[in-house]
Amino acid sequence: MTPALPAPRWPWAVAAALLIALALITPVNHDEDQYLAAANLVSRGLRPFGDFMYLQTPVQPWLLAPVAWLADGWSFIALRLVSAVAGLGTLALVYAAQRRAGVTPRHALIATALCGSCVPFLFGMSLARNDALPALLLAVALWAAARGRTLDWGVAGLALGCAASIKISYGLPLAFGGFWLLWQAVRTQSVAPMLAWGIGGVIALLPTALTWAAYAQAFEYGVFRYAAEGAKIWYDLNGIGDRLSLAAKLRDTGVALAIGPALVALIVLLFLRRDDGKKYRAFVITLLVAGVVAAILPTPTYRQYFLPVLPPLFVALGLAMPLGRWPLRIMAALGVAAVAVYAGLGVADAVRRGPAAWCVTSQAHWIGAQAAGPIVTFSPTYVVDSGVPLDPRFATGTHVWRSGDLRSDAELGAFKVTSRRTLARELDARPPGAILTGFEGASGVNRRIIPDEVLNDWARTNGYRAVPTPYGGMLWLKR
C-alpha cells in the first residue's frame, strides 16, 4: 500500500498550485505542436504513421485522444493540465518510493522537493509535450521496485515499457533495468523478477511493435531516422552547426543540470560512494545511469532530456540521507532560485502578452469563426481548438519540412508530409481553406531560412487575403 502523505500536507498543495499555474502561463514551446496535433488528429479517427507523421513512439496520442475529444475547443488547456497532474503524481511516487524503501518522512519530503525544483522537471510538467507521462511511469517503476516482490517487478517492467512506448529514450532505463535483473538472476539463481520484468515490458511494447509492423517505413523514419538527420541539416543550413559539437553538448549538459539542485545532488552521490548492500539502491543507481545516458545521447542536447535522470537521482539522494547541513543548504538554495526564475519568467511573459492558456485558446476560437478548413500552418498549437480541421501533412509543425528534402518525393508522399522542395507543389495540388503564420519566424534556429515566409509567399502569390490575428499571427483566407 502506498504510504500516506506526510504531515504537514501544505507542501503538496503548494506543489499542485505551482504546477497548475505554470501549465497555464508558461509560453508556448514549438515542440508542443506535434503532440497537440497528434492527439487532435487521433481524436478525429486518424492513425499515427498511417494517416499522418509522428516523430515518437505512438502510445501518447492514443492515451490523450479521449482528453482532446472530451475537451474539444479547450484541449490545449486540458493537455497542459494533464502534464501538471502527471508532475504531481511523479513527485508523490518519488516520495512513496523512498518511504517504501525505509527513508524517513522528513528526508523523503526534502528529496522530493528538490526533485520538483529542477528546471527540467518544471519545464516538462508545464507543457503539452511527451515528457510528463513517461516520467510518471518511471516513478511508478521506482515505487513498485522498492518492495521487490515478483509481481512488483512485473509492474515496474510494464510501467517502463509503457514509458518507452511514449518516448523512445525510456527504452534505455527499461533495457538497463532488465540487464541488472539478469545479473541478479545469475548471482542469486532467482529468475522470477527478471521474467516478470520482461513479460511486463513486452506487454507494454506490443502496441508500438504492432504499429511498427503495420507502417514500417513511416515508423522507422519518424522514430529513428528523423532524429538522426533532422537537426543536423537544419542547423547547418542556418549557420549554427557548432551547436552540434561535443563542446556544445558538454556545455548544455552542465547548464541543464546546474539550473537547480540536480548537479550538486549528482556530485554528492558520487562522493558518498555508499554501499550498504541494499539491492534496491543498486537498482535505482542503474536507472540513474540509464537516464544520464538517455539524456546525453541525442544531439543537440536539451534540458528536457534530463527529466529521466531526476526521479532515480532524488530517490537515490533520499536513500543516502542524512547528509551534511551544507550540501542540503546549497541544494535548497539552488532549488528555490530555479523555481523563482522559471516561474518569474512565466509570470513576466503572462503580464506582457497574457497567459499562454488564454492567448492560445481565445485565438483558436477566433480563427474558428473566420476560417474554413483545412488549415495549413507550421504552428498547429494555435489551430487544434479552432474547430477547423488541421491539414494532416503539417502535423509535425516545421520538423519534417525542415529536413524532408533528404527524402525522395515518393517517400514524402508515403509519409504524408511536405518538404521545402515539395511544399508549393503540394499546396498547388490541394489548396488549403486557410493558412496561419506568424509563430515560426526568425529565431535562434531559424536564422537564414524562415519557415513562415515560405507560406506567406505562397499565400500572397495565390491571392489569399491577409487578416491579422488577435495575438500576433496572420491568417490568410481565400478571397
Side-chain angles (χ1 to χ4, degrees), residues 5-6 11-12 15 19 87-99 103-118 121-122 139 261 310-311 313-319 321 328 331 335 339:
L5 296 179
W12 299 97
L19 290 171
L88 188 63
T90 301
L91 293 178
L93 286 161
V94 165
Y95 173 83
Q98 295 172 78
R99 294 290 294 122
V103 179
T104 67
R106 177 176 177 272
H107 290 151
L109 190 60
I110 290 171
T112 302
L114 292 172
C115 179
S117 66
C118 295
F121 179 89
L122 297 171
L310 302 182
L313 171 61
F314 288 99
V315 169
L317 189 73
L319 294 172
M321 290 192 185
L328 283 178
M331 285 187 284
V339 172

Side-chain angles (χ1 to χ4, degrees), residues 47-109:
R47 302 159 298 171
F49 305 108
D51 299 312
F52 65 92
M53 178 52 66
Y54 188 61
L55 302 178
Q56 270 290 349
T57 40
V59 166
Q60 177 162 300
W62 295 332
L63 292 176
L64 296 184
V67 179
W69 180 77
L70 288 170
D72 186 33
W74 302 89
S75 63
F76 176 78
I77 294 175
L79 295 179
R80 278 206 169 185
L81 290 177
V82 166
S83 293
V85 171
L88 188 63
T90 301
L91 293 178
L93 286 161
V94 165
Y95 173 83
Q98 295 172 78
R99 294 290 294 122
R100 261 192 173 182
V103 179
T104 67
R106 177 176 177 272
H107 290 151
L109 190 60

